[in-house]
Amino acid sequence: MNFTRWSARLPGISGTQRRAAARTDLATAPERRADGSVPAARAGQPADPANPAPAVDALPAREVLDRVPALVALVHGPDHRLAYVNGAYTTAFGARPLGEPARDALPELRALGLLPLLNQVLRSGRPRTLKSRKATDGRSYTFTCTPAGEAAAADRTGGGVLVFATDVTDHAEAAERLRASERRQRETAVTLQRSLLPQVLEQPDDLRIAATYQPGGTEAAVGGDWYDVITLGGGRTALVIGDVMGRGVRAAAVMGQLRTAVRAYARMDLPPHEILQLLDGLAAEIDANQIATCVYAVHDPNEGRLVYSSAGHLPILVRDENGTVVRADEPTGPPLGTGGWVHSSGSVPLGPGSTAVLYTDGLVERRDEDLDEGITALERALAGATGTPQVVCDRLVRSAGVQADHDDDVAVLVLQHPARTGHDGELFRNAALELLGGVEAAPRARAFASGVLTSWRFPAELHDLGVLAASELVANSLQHGTPPMRLRLRRTDRRLIIEVTDGDDHLPRRRRAEPVDESGRGIAIVATIASGWGARRTPGGGKAVWCEFLLPAKQESA
């Protein structure tokens, strides 16, 4: 159907005039017969001379458009005066006044913002399409605007525009249902992912910690990034961050199992590399086709260091009190679940005034740049990021350009070891005594503990309990341990910690002493009077046995 031969006078043109014009055009078309019929489409198929098939150009265009189910309107001139609407258009939007500008005659097109599109079509002479727009009748249409009229081909000002609207309501509603289903699935997956992460981060006495997690992309397949903070007792804190390869509910489920296992293994107070060794075997049992990266670190305020082990994870970044940023060195082993690797531990200084950052690859990995470049950019951002851990966390995420539509999950864990001075510094104190053994060791330990607790102005009851616990722990070490031995007392704003170390690596356990037993009651006494107790092997060999007492509220603010 040759729409370019239409004009704004289309409604007034009779069918006879259009057929005459068509016959004039056919006279110059060698492939059509003079009587307007079309030659046989295939050889051997005779035409019916009594009922010849009409030529395409000879079909009455208005009659065809009046019958099509699509909505059709024709506008003319620079102000788009309405020249024609078909029956389907009138049924959808009602009768429309011919000869009026489209802004008045076709308010539904104005509401859809289609009038500027008419201008573009009239100026460019090229068709334009506006897909799936809901009109004032509540149905959705795809609008195609096509230049029409001989004048349009000449000066682009006096021509017309044919508006052709196809009802796509069913498709639009189906697409919206699909989008709604995808949104619900994503919300479910994100809810699952977040529920497997710690709802409230543990806040140890000596550290200030903040974390953030942002799911990647807009699809339901969230990833398996996770983090956790675990207080180990005795002032020590474990920090872990990991990333399960892959996406979806399965990755999130594996992540949840690994996080639960980490918390269970952490209670054993093992060195970081032994924790990863256990996780490696567990990951292979959970899903042999799923691997995960992980870094597990332990902070001990007495040592001022962060001891860590990494299974294929990105390096920890540490900014010291002078603002210098360093990467934690090797060792780094293969990801969890690969098996056959013996992990090892390393350490990095984390003294007062330092900040450490643990993160997943979504923060630094980009498709168009090397991973090392992303880590270097993160180092620069950390060097200039000051403030609370949450502020630092937010700044690092912003500096990496992470938006809501980021294509990968991002998890960031920031910890600070504050430098305490003045009154705050008085609430964090340490005292230690080297024990040489012998019969005088126990009395010296009791006298030392009594003097320290008195100088820290603890109430009488807590003073006596602390001296008793120190005496029992030292007596246990003298009987079952080997030199060198040390008694250490530490107070924070929340608790009193008493720890005894010696050179023997046999860990004590609590047991029920029989009435006739002459020993075996020391650990039971400590476990009864203290808020908590524990024992662990030390990296250089030997063990540490500790207990702690929660301070009264008035003592916390003293």
Side-chain angles (χ1 to χ4, degrees):
M1 198 177 299
N2 189 1
F3 292 126
T4 60
R5 300 177 59 244
W6 290 13
S7 71
R9 295 174 296 170
L10 183 144
I13 299 177
S14 66
T16 303
Q17 291 173 313
R18 288 194 297 273
R19 286 190 291 273
R23 284 194 294 271
T24 302
D25 291 343
L26 289 171
T28 61
E31 296 183 1
R32 293 189 176 93
R33 299 175 181 175
D35 61 0
S37 64
V38 181
R42 280 175 267 191
Q45 182 178 358
D48 185 358
N51 188 21
V56 172
D57 285 348
L59 293 175
R62 179 165 183 168
E63 181 179 344
V64 172
L65 293 180
D66 281 340
R67 293 175 180 271
V68 297
L71 281 59
V72 179
L74 181 68
V75 296
H76 179 266
D79 54 356
H80 310 300
R81 294 185 178 275
L82 182 61
Y84 166 77
V85 290
N86 71 344
Y89 199 106
T90 302
T91 301
F93 298 110
R96 291 293 180 259
L98 300 180
E100 296 294 323
R103 62 177 178 273
D104 300 323
L106 304 173
E108 58 278 355
L109 300 189
R110 185 177 69 246
L112 290 170
L114 205 63
L115 298 186
L117 196 64
L118 299 179
N119 293 330
Q120 295 177 20
V121 172
L122 196 61
R123 287 194 304 268
S124 66
R126 296 180 178 179
R128 295 287 189 272
T129 299
L130 190 67
K131 294 184 177 180
S132 191
R133 293 295 186 272
K134 182 170 287 190
T136 54
D137 66 343
R139 302 190 66 80
S140 297
Y141 299 91
T142 290
F143 292 87
T144 299
C145 301
T146 304
E150 295 177 356
D155 56 13
R156 310 294 189 203
T157 58
V161 178
L162 180 72
V163 181
F164 191 89
T166 305
D167 190 333
V168 294
T169 304
D170 292 341
H171 295 286
E173 290 177 351
E176 180 56 34
R177 287 194 298 270
L178 179 60
R179 287 191 293 268
S181 176
E182 291 175 345
R183 285 194 297 269
R184 288 193 298 269
Q185 291 178 17
R186 174 172 171 78
E187 289 170 1
T188 301
V190 171
T191 300
L192 170 63
Q193 173 84 340
R194 292 189 182 279
S195 68
L196 296 174
L197 294 174
Q199 303 305 300
V200 178
L201 283 179
E202 297 183 24
Q203 293 292 337
D205 298 358
D206 293 273
L207 298 176
R208 298 293 176 264
I209 301 177
T212 187
Y213 167 74
Q214 180 167 317
T218 56
E219 57 186 29
V222 296
D225 294 18
W226 94 92
Y227 55 83
D228 209 349
V229 178
I230 309 164
T231 53
L232 301 177
R236 301 166 72 249
T237 306
L239 307 113
V240 60
I241 193 165
D243 183 4
V244 177
M245 300 296 103
R247 300 176 69 82
V249 175
R250 181 57 183 167
V254 172
M255 176 271 286
Q257 294 177 79
L258 290 177
R259 176 177 172 254
T260 301
V262 169
R263 294 193 70 86
Y265 293 149
R267 299 306 177 191
M268 301 167 64
D269 215 343
L270 298 172
H273 65 276
E274 293 189 26
I275 296 289
L276 291 191
Q277 209 71 48
L278 293 172
L279 284 176
D280 186 26
L282 179 65
E285 293 178 9
I286 293 174
D287 190 338
N289 298 319
Q290 202 102 39
I291 63 174
T293 64
C294 178
V295 61
Y296 181 90
V298 175
H299 176 256
D300 189 338
N302 295 316
E303 303 296 334
R305 303 187 69 80
L306 196 64
V307 181
Y308 66 92
S309 185
S310 175
H313 205 77
L314 300 173
I316 301 172
L317 301 184
V318 178
R319 185 186 67 201
D320 63 19
E321 65 276 13
N322 300 319
T324 303
V325 178
V326 297
R327 298 185 192 183
D329 296 328
E330 300 289 348
T332 297
L336 303 176
T338 56
W341 183 267
V342 178
H343 293 273
S344 57
S345 296
S347 67
V348 61
L350 189 72
S354 299
T355 299
V357 178
L358 291 74
Y359 52 96
T360 56
D361 57 2
L363 185 67
V364 295
E365 189 173 28
R366 300 294 181 270
R367 296 176 181 175
D368 56 348
E369 66 181 34
D370 186 74
L371 178 61
D372 193 66
E373 294 178 7
I375 299 176
T376 301
L378 183 62
E379 288 178 341
R380 292 194 297 267
L382 177 59
T386 58
T388 66
Q390 189 60 59
V391 170
V392 173
C393 208
D394 295 340
R395 289 181 177 177
L396 295 181
V397 171
R398 286 198 304 270
S399 69
V402 176
Q403 303 294 332
D405 58 350
H406 193 61
D407 60 358
D408 195 6
D409 290 22
V410 174
V412 184
L413 185 64
V414 175
L415 56 140
Q416 292 179 344
H417 187 181
R420 296 181 172 89
T421 57
H423 175 70
D424 193 30
E426 293 294 320
L427 300 179
F428 291 81
R429 306 283 293 276
N430 287 279
L433 174 67
E434 300 293 337
L435 298 172
L436 301 178
V439 295
E440 76 282 356
R444 287 185 63 235
R446 285 193 294 270
F448 176 78
S450 178
V452 169
L453 298 181
T454 299
S455 68
W456 289 349
R457 296 176 300 193
F458 283 164
E461 181 181 1
L462 183 57
H463 171 279
D464 294 343
L465 291 176
V467 172
L468 176 59
S471 176
E472 293 296 336
L473 291 181
V474 169
N476 182 79
S477 181
L478 289 172
Q479 183 173 359
H480 302 287
T482 59
M485 291 179 285
R486 171 186 285 188
L487 169 64
R488 176 182 288 159
L489 283 77
R490 175 174 174 77
R491 71 153 295 168
T492 70
D493 58 344
R494 297 181 227 173
R495 71 197 76 231
L496 166 66
I497 302 168
I498 301 172
E499 182 181 81
V500 175
T501 60
D502 64 54
D504 185 82
D505 61 2
H506 176 73
L507 299 181
R509 60 185 179 86
R510 184 179 180 180
R511 64 183 179 88
R512 182 187 297 274
E514 299 297 333
V516 296
D517 291 343
E518 297 182 359
S519 63
R521 296 180 175 84
I523 295 298
I525 293 174
V526 171
T528 301
I529 65 176
S531 303
W533 79 282
R536 70 179 187 279
R537 292 185 175 88
T538 53
K543 67 177 178 295
V545 185
W546 57 269
C547 68
E548 61 184 26
F549 298 85
L550 296 179
L551 301 185
K554 62 178 182 180
Q555 193 67 29
E556 294 178 24
S557 59

